Amino acid sequence: NEFRRISEFREEETVAGLTEREIQLLRLVASGMSNKEIAAELSLAESTVKNRLSLLFEKLDVKDRTQAAIYALSHGLITRKD
């Protein structure tokens, strides 16, 4: 029963329907990290990062990393560094 409960656990959605993990991924993209660097930071395979980014970009209705970074900035997920 405990295994089933854990396996059915879903992350709570936060800003604009994004999960905490998606926000974390978006922040790393917006900071300028490559897929390889993100993979190392999150202890994931680079292919997993690519897949998750594709899903995230689709969810945000953005086409690329630049648009994703603009989304993150405009929604207060990152702050502008002067």
Side-chain angles (χ1 to χ4, degrees):
N1 286 337
E2 182 67 11
F3 177 78
R4 189 175 319 129
R5 185 188 68 76
I6 292 170
S7 65
E8 292 174 355
F9 175 79
R10 286 185 40 145
E11 295 181 78
E12 288 187 33
E13 293 185 349
T14 57
V15 177
L18 300 178
T19 64
E20 286 294 329
R21 189 66 156 183
E22 289 170 330
I23 291 171
Q24 181 183 27
L25 184 60
L26 183 57
R27 285 180 174 148
L28 294 173
V29 166
S31 74
M33 293 178 80
S34 69
N35 289 351
K36 187 175 184 176
E37 292 169 326
I38 294 170
E41 177 76 19
L42 300 179
S43 301
L44 298 171
E46 190 172 351
S47 60
T48 301
V49 171
K50 288 179 186 179
N51 289 335
R52 289 190 181 176
L53 284 177
S54 292
L55 294 171
L56 178 59
F57 291 175
E58 185 177 322
K59 189 173 190 177
L60 298 177
D61 195 27
V62 300
K63 294 181 173 114
D64 56 33
R65 298 169 93 83
T66 302
Q67 288 182 351
I70 292 168
Y71 179 96
L73 182 62
S74 67
H75 286 80
L77 300 175
I78 58 170
T79 57
R80 190 171 150 212
K81 296 178 185 177
D82 293 322

